[in-house]
Every structure is written in structure tokens, then in C-alpha cells.
Amino acid sequence: MQKLIRAGFAATVLALAPLAAWAEAAKVAIHVDEESIQTMNMALNNAANIIKHYEDLGQEVTVEIVTYGPGLHMLRADTSPVSDRIATMSLTHDNISFSACLNTVQAMQQRAQTEIPLLSEANVVPSGAVRLMELQYEGYAYLRP
């Protein structure tokens, strides 16, 4: 009888484990690796919609947009077609962050033979691809617009 009770308890704990994950704040990593303004705007639209959804539910959410390759233009001060939106969203929402791949910055600097200026909102990470992996290990959902 005691084994049956223990087995039932273990089954209950295992069944409720996924619910514990839902009890944590939602987290999403949005991947941008294209220079397309449509992709950049879609990523920002997705972020805004996700934040609004969870705010309407009274729940917390964390959004990180990770850029590398041609997508780094999203966070370049000299070429970003969405810099105003990024500035506004950063001021409006403290739960959104923007990551810029250092590997890409260095490659662009080497090709251009000049410094690549980034938006003040950009957080430089060693590798955009590795950052996406780390975020997924930390339980972030992955989204690529």
C-alpha cells in the first residue's frame, strides 16, 4: 500500500512539473539575422504584442532580441531603419533588451576598416548564435520572424 501511495505521489509531482515551468515568468528570444526592414519591424511587432499580451494578463515577460550577421544593422547607429522604435520601446518597457553579436561587429569593422557604431540600447554579446543557445538553455522560447 505504501508503495502505491509513493507511486501516486511521484506521478502527481511529474504531472505537475510542466505547470511549475508555466508559473515562472515568460521569456522569449527573438532572432534577427536579416537586414530586411520588414523582418526588423516584424521582430519589434512580435515583441510589442508579446509584452502587451502578458501585461494584459498581469504576468511578467522578458524579451530579448538577438541580432547577428546582416541583422546587426538593426542595432547599428549608422544604418538602423528602426532606431526610433527601439529607443521608444526601450524607454517604454524595461523588460526588453537588444543583443548585438561581437563576432559580426568585428567582421564588419574589418571589412569597413572603421568603427561600427551601435545604438545605446545594444548590449554586445560575444556571439549571437551562442547567446540564442544560452537563452534556450535558460528556458527562453525561440522566435524567428
Side-chain angles (χ1 to χ4, degrees):
M1 180 68 161
Q2 197 169 16
K3 284 184 181 181
L4 187 59
I5 291 172
R6 271 191 250 153
F9 177 75
T12 301
V13 168
L14 289 174
L16 293 177
L19 295 177
W22 282 102
E24 295 179 19
K27 304 178 283 190
V28 63
I30 301 176
H31 173 185
V32 177
D33 64 356
E34 298 177 24
E35 192 174 350
S36 158
I37 188 171
Q38 290 85 5
T39 300
M40 294 175 192
N41 276 315
M42 178 73 76
L44 294 171
N45 292 345
N46 289 162
N49 290 338
I50 289 167
I51 290 169
K52 182 178 181 334
H53 171 81
Y54 283 97
E55 284 178 350
D56 288 350
L57 294 174
Q59 297 177 11
E60 292 182 25
V61 63
T62 302
V63 177
E64 184 168 333
I65 297 179
V66 180
T67 66
Y68 64 83
L72 183 74
H73 285 279
M74 182 177 189
L75 299 180
R76 281 184 57 166
D78 59 339
T79 60
S80 177
V82 293
S83 59
D84 290 340
R85 282 191 75 192
I86 289 171
T88 300
M89 289 180 78
S90 291
L91 289 172
T92 308
H93 305 289
D94 61 354
N95 54 348
I96 188 167
S97 61
F98 300 88
S99 294
C101 173
L102 179 60
N103 289 334
T104 301
V105 170
Q106 291 173 335
M108 287 183 175
Q109 286 178 165
Q110 189 172 27
R111 278 193 303 275
Q113 292 297 301
T114 186
E115 289 292 313
I116 299 297
L118 297 177
L119 300 175
S120 62
E121 295 83 5
N123 301 308
V124 178
V125 296
S127 166
V130 171
R131 182 64 183 152
L132 286 168
M133 291 171 57
E134 291 170 347
L135 292 171
Q136 288 178 76
Y137 292 145
E138 293 173 17
Y140 279 66
Y142 169 83
L143 182 62
R144 184 166 187 252

